[in-house]
Structure formats: C-alpha cells, structure tokens
Amino acid sequence: MTIRRFSAAVFAATLLTAGLAACDSTGTGEAGASASPTVSGSAAPGSASPGTADAKQALLNSTNEIRNGNFRFTMTGVGTTAEGQVHQPSQSAQIKLSIGDASSDVSMKLDLVHLKPDSWVKLDLGGQAAKLPGVQGLNLGKYQHLDQSRIKGNRNLGFDFEKVDPAGSEVLTQGVTEVRQTGDGAYAGTIDVSKAAEAGSLNAELIKALGQQAQSVPFTAKLDPQGRLSELVVQIPAAGQNKAQDIRITYADYGAATAAQRPPADQVVEAPSELYNLFN
C-alpha cells in the first residue's frame, strides 16, 4: 500500500475529511434579527405554517455570528474527532483532527496551525499506518511549514479566512426542510443534505451513498441564550456500507476565542514532497 492509497482510503472513510479546512458557506444574504420561535409541527404539503417559518429563520439567524470568525468548535463522527478555534482578528486558526485511536488498525492525528500568511501541520500516525513504506520521510511529530503555493485550494491543508466555518453549519441550516421547536432554544426536524456537499462536516461520497435518504435526514439543534448556534446533530441513517451515525457539531466562546500560536522554532521543519503527495 502506498502513502497515496493510504490517504485515499482513510480520508474517504471518514466523515470529517473536509473538516480540516473551511467550507464554502454560500449564503447570499444577511439574515435579519432573530425571530422569537414558536412551537410548531410539520407544515401541510405545499405550505409552511408561521411557526415553522419562525423556527427555520431562528436557525438561519443562529449562524450569523459564526461569520465573524471568533469562536471555538468541535466536530465528531464515528471514529473521528476535530476541535479547534478560529480567530479572525489575528487571521489565525488551529484545528486538531484525530482518526481512530491507539487500538485501531489505522490511526492518524493532525495539528494544523494557520497564522496568515503561514501554515504548519504536525502529523502523527499509529497502528498499521506508522508501518507504511515511505512514512519515515514525513517528519512525524514535527510541525511542518507548508508552502502556500502548494496548498492553495487544498481542503485538507489550507484555510480560507473568507469562509471561516470548518463545519459549514450555515450551509446545513439552509438545507432544512422541516423544523419544529422542541423546547427553550431546542429544535428538531429534517435537512436535505444533498444540498450541503460543501459543508465541511459531510463529504460527497457519503451524500451519494444516502441516495433518496439524503433529502430528509433528521437533525436536532440547540441555540444559546443569545440565539447563536451551540450544537447541531445530524443523524445520518445507514446506507450501503456506512453504519448509522451521528455527526455532532458544537460552537462556544463566541467573540472570546484566542489567537493561534506560532509553533516553536525548534519544532519546525519544511514540509517534504511526500507530505503534499499524501494530501493531494
């Protein structure tokens, strides 16, 4: 197995492949002030009740603060976790991704630091991944300084400070097809995830495997007292070889995140070609 094949196998299998980089949040308009949502059920075919409209607007409004790029976040799926912070004021971000664990056949950890105009990645491999031919040239355990010209447009290693949400919750909420309020700041409904391929918490392979199910995927959401999104759980049904699973996204510390720190100089090396080959 080559490094390139290992990369394709691991990253195609995880739901959070694109969570290493900011997604393309394609909303075209600024939502207005948050409406006071009311309890509602499903709308009749071809219509939407006022309560349903209010609940959906509340969800759309809940992602407004994310665009300001000052928050902490987490994403979890089966066998995969990601956490980090975005700090637009300093043009910095840090994202840590873990796939598998020490007991897994294959495991991978990445620590990505972006401090514009520089980026670094520290890569650790476990299990069979650490035994693959060629990994010795990857400078494992060191922060590898990335050539920006070689990661431009790369959703795994790059970060776009114009599109700051690694999970793509704005894209997801725009795909809501039915929603009702279930409690104070709590909502439930369905999302058409076929319209959310650009969300960093999903990938095209998963959406394709869902087929028609992709048009009505259950979700729950929680908003904080200020009406900002604090949790979104997308309940992916079983499809093909994929087991049923939850993708959970959380946000915290709006307006209070901290700047990412430049790695210590004695822990930094220039990234070799093998690293770019792994992620391209």
Side-chain angles (χ1 to χ4, degrees), residues 14-30:
T14 177
L15 299 178
L16 299 178
T17 301
L20 291 169
C23 75
D24 181 3
S25 296
T26 55
T28 57
E30 295 290 331

Side-chain angles (χ1 to χ4, degrees), residues 166-191:
S169 292
E170 181 178 8
V171 176
L172 288 168
T173 56
Q174 288 173 346
V176 167
T177 54
E178 183 273 327
V179 60
R180 63 192 181 279
Q181 186 171 3
T182 58
D184 187 14
Y187 299 84
T190 56
I191 296 176

Side-chain angles (χ1 to χ4, degrees), residues 1-261:
M1 179 182 289
T2 65
I3 294 295
R4 184 180 295 276
R5 288 177 57 197
F6 162 73
S7 174
V10 171
F11 283 90
T14 177
L15 299 178
L16 299 178
T17 301
L20 291 169
C23 75
D24 181 3
S25 296
T26 55
T28 57
E30 295 290 331
S34 178
S36 298
T38 58
V39 177
S40 65
S42 300
S47 66
S49 71
T52 298
D54 287 348
K56 183 170 183 178
Q57 191 61 55
L59 287 179
L60 293 173
N61 292 345
S62 75
T63 65
N64 288 351
E65 185 64 26
I66 295 174
R67 298 179 202 149
N68 291 329
N70 193 331
F71 57 85
R72 298 187 64 83
F73 72 93
T74 68
M75 292 188 289
T76 59
V78 174
T80 305
T81 61
E83 62 178 349
Q85 63 197 41
V86 177
H87 192 251
Q88 183 74 287
S90 62
Q91 293 278 274
S92 70
Q94 183 168 15
I95 301 171
K96 295 182 179 181
L97 176 76
S98 177
I99 302 171
D101 54 35
S103 63
S104 303
D105 289 340
V106 174
S107 64
M108 174 184 286
K109 292 184 179 180
L110 295 100
D111 182 358
L112 276 154
V113 179
H114 304 282
L115 187 59
K116 200 171 182 179
D118 292 301
S119 295
W120 302 262
V121 62
K122 182 167 73 170
L123 174 67
D124 290 297
L125 302 175
Q128 295 300 314
K131 302 176 183 179
L132 293 174
V135 300
Q136 293 79 10
L138 292 178
N139 295 316
L140 299 180
K142 291 280 189 178
Y143 282 95
Q144 304 184 58
H145 183 253
L146 300 169
D147 180 344
Q148 295 299 306
S149 68
R150 300 183 71 172
I151 64 171
K152 186 176 182 179
N154 187 311
R155 290 172 63 90
N156 294 317
L157 296 177
F159 193 92
D160 186 345
F161 283 97
E162 297 297 320
K163 306 163 186 175
V164 295
D165 183 11
S169 292
E170 181 178 8
V171 176
L172 288 168
T173 56
Q174 288 173 346
V176 167
T177 54
E178 183 273 327
V179 60
R180 63 192 181 279
Q181 186 171 3
T182 58
D184 187 14
Y187 299 84
T190 56
I191 296 176
D192 183 352
V193 299
S194 68
K195 300 177 180 178
E198 289 299 317
S201 46
L202 300 172
N203 63 35
E205 291 81 7
L206 174 64
I207 294 172
K208 183 178 180 180
L210 289 172
Q212 291 296 316
Q213 294 184 99
Q215 297 178 16
S216 186
V217 175
F219 79 93
T220 61
K222 295 179 181 178
L223 277 53
D224 68 13
Q226 288 74 42
R228 304 169 300 193
L229 186 65
S230 60
E231 179 185 83
L232 178 64
V233 180
V234 184
Q235 299 159 355
I236 303 295
Q241 296 181 344
N242 298 316
K243 297 180 180 179
Q245 52 203 285
D246 288 349
I247 298 175
R248 182 174 183 267
I249 305 162
T250 69
Y251 297 92
D253 294 340
Y254 284 109
T258 56
Q261 299 299 306

